Amino acid sequence: APPILVVGTTGDPATPYEQTPALAEMLGVGKVLTWEGEGHTAYPQTPCITQAVNAYLIDLTVPAEGTRCPAR
């Protein structure tokens, strides 16, 4: 299977960030993209997240390992 992008938000009140890498690992092909913001959804909150997710959805380009996007 191609890589699956898993976006996690460090300040997500509904889904603890700690579950993000766990889910990526469970998928076997999961790749983590981290947004250091607040709220339940990261996309399309900042240009960093928007560009990374769009690149994945359009071209299947996965962000570099350990990519973290600032809140603003």
Side-chain angles (χ1 to χ4, degrees):
I4 298 171
L5 187 60
V6 181
V7 182
T9 303
T10 57
D12 187 333
T15 309
Y17 178 77
E18 295 74 27
Q19 296 303 314
T20 302
L23 174 59
E25 187 174 327
M26 283 178 18
L27 291 169
V29 293
K31 304 296 179 185
V32 174
L33 173 62
T34 301
W35 182 47
E36 297 171 342
E38 300 292 323
H40 185 58
T41 57
Y43 182 83
Q45 299 295 332
T46 66
C48 177
I49 288 292
T50 301
Q51 291 168 3
V53 172
N54 285 351
Y56 173 75
L57 293 174
I58 295 167
D59 301 319
L60 274 183
T61 301
V62 179
E65 182 86 22
T67 298
R68 298 179 75 87
C69 293
R72 297 279 167 219

